[in-house]
Amino acid sequence: MSLFTHRAYWRWSAGVQFARLPATMAPLAFTLLTTATTGSYRLGGVLMSVFVAAEVVCAVPVGRLLDRVGPARGLPALLLLTAAGYVVLALATHAPALVLVALVLLPGVSAGALSGAFRTLLAETVDDALLPRALSVDAMILEGVLIGGPALVALLDLAGTFVPLAAMAVACVAAAVLVPRRTGEPDRVESRDDVPAPRLATYLPWLGCAFTVGLLLSTIEVAPLPLVQRLGAPATAAPVVIAVLSGASIAGSALYAWRGKTGDPRLLLGGFVAGGLTLAAGSGWPGLLGSVALIGACTGPLVAATSVNLQRVLPKNRRSAGFSLSFTVQAAGFGLGSLAVGVLPLWVTPLFGVFAAAIAGGMLVRKPARAIGATSVTS
């Protein structure tokens, strides 16, 4: 079956995009909310920090709970719980700051495991041959969601401060409705005692890949302004860097989808090393745009290859927790990269991503995981 005529995949895709939309809306929505009610954007930053912290801390435990009850059964309830958290927050827009900080925990606790649960359902929605292409198409759509989320907040805020939060709740409800109820015919689902947790060495290289993606991307996405100012360009040139990064990522994912093969992530990590070193060197506009384009072109395929290989080494009864851990590790990499941009010289920050890519590639070279280049998905 072609992916473009695969109705179950497109239902899954619509559901996961609705589930992702609130996370892309949250930073601006929280900032506009607190600016309108307190006159300061700083509380919005605090709310976002607490929200992300709750996601990171609870992603794996909640994912493990979904593994026990089944993601197809538990995910709608989790989405509705997240929607309820946004509704409560919207109704409390004029509450004291400490109350808002406490209430933002409600959607944060349940939202952290959503991506991992949806990714687990994808394994049962499409077969092994379509999985690399499915992940690449999803990466391209995700770029649109990342851009559209803040734009939607800016538009909805014109109707009222609480409206973006209400829309975030509606998006969660829509995602709950679209959760695939009837998946394909998977292999026998193991009970909790059938398959032990995989050894750390089995999936550590793939977590390293996820961490590297977040770490190196943050160097670009958080610092487009200083990157262009280093070349003597005005601030208005900063969006060019993000446009090149996004365009290259979409092109890389499109090429990966066209090939429809997992490929070797070590080549993509090599692209990260080359791009990061060139970015650190600061070789004028050709070096900046060339390095950003190379990193962007490798990002989508590396994310897809990492996800495919993680699926191949994770037991079915631990996939929601495993994928949630992967997304959490990637977010941690982004956070640490953002911190590095704020406190270290600009030329130093890409070197952390280069080092992380080299370590992840070294783990795969020294003891290649069985999943690289495999043609079938196993547990």
Side-chain angles (χ1 to χ4, degrees), residues 131-174:
L131 187 59
R133 183 171 286 120
L135 288 167
S136 298
V137 171
D138 179 59
M140 290 187 284
I141 299 174
L142 175 59
E143 291 289 339
V145 175
L146 293 174
I147 296 171
L152 182 61
V153 172
L155 179 64
L156 294 176
D157 186 66
L158 298 175
T161 304
F162 70 94
V163 176
L165 290 171
M168 291 158 68
V170 171
C172 289
V173 173

Side-chain angles (χ1 to χ4, degrees), residues 55-338:
E55 283 188 310
V56 170
V57 171
C58 298
V60 175
V62 175
R64 193 72 188 100
L65 177 62
L66 287 175
D67 282 325
R68 292 176 180 272
V69 303
R73 181 191 307 175
L75 187 52
L78 196 65
L79 284 161
L80 293 177
L81 183 62
T82 307
Y86 289 130
V87 169
V88 171
L89 194 60
L91 294 175
T93 52
H94 296 285
L98 289 179
V99 174
L100 292 176
V101 170
L103 291 179
V104 82
L105 289 171
L106 296 177
V109 166
S110 54
L114 297 179
S115 294
F118 266 105
R119 176 59 185 84
T120 301
L121 287 178
L122 179 61
E124 301 176 1
T125 302
V126 301
D127 58 31
D128 303 353
L130 287 177
L131 187 59
R133 183 171 286 120
L135 288 167
S136 298
V137 171
D138 179 59
M140 290 187 284
I141 299 174
L142 175 59
E143 291 289 339
V145 175
L146 293 174
I147 296 171
L152 182 61
V153 172
L155 179 64
L156 294 176
D157 186 66
L158 298 175
T161 304
F162 70 94
V163 176
L165 290 171
M168 291 158 68
V170 171
C172 289
V173 173
V177 173
L178 290 166
V179 170
R181 299 298 195 277
R182 297 181 60 187
T183 58
E185 294 296 331
D187 297 334
R188 181 181 65 89
V189 178
E190 300 91 341
S191 68
R192 293 194 299 271
D193 299 327
D194 284 336
V195 180
R199 292 181 302 170
L200 181 62
T202 304
Y203 54 78
L204 186 59
W206 310 117
L207 294 180
C209 290
F211 181 80
T212 299
V213 169
L215 187 62
L216 195 51
L217 278 186
S218 64
T219 301
I220 302 172
E221 294 185 355
V222 177
L225 181 58
L227 284 172
V228 299
Q229 288 179 335
R230 182 171 64 171
L231 302 178
T236 52
V240 174
V241 176
I242 301 301
V244 171
L245 180 69
S246 298
S249 179
I250 292 172
S253 295
L255 178 61
Y256 192 82
W258 175 72
R259 292 183 70 247
K261 298 179 180 179
T262 304
D264 192 336
R266 292 171 288 194
L267 298 176
L268 302 170
L269 288 167
F272 266 37
V273 170
L277 289 174
T278 305
L279 185 64
S283 306
W285 278 104
L288 173 60
L289 297 183
S291 61
V292 168
L294 179 58
I295 292 169
C298 292
T299 296
L302 181 57
V303 169
T306 299
S307 186
V308 170
N309 281 287
L310 264 177
Q311 178 173 312
R312 290 169 174 166
V313 299
L314 285 171
K316 289 182 180 179
N317 65 334
R318 294 180 183 270
R319 282 180 178 169
S320 293
F323 284 124
S324 295
L325 176 61
S326 173
F327 293 126
T328 300
V329 167
Q330 183 172 327
F334 196 95
L336 290 176
S338 302

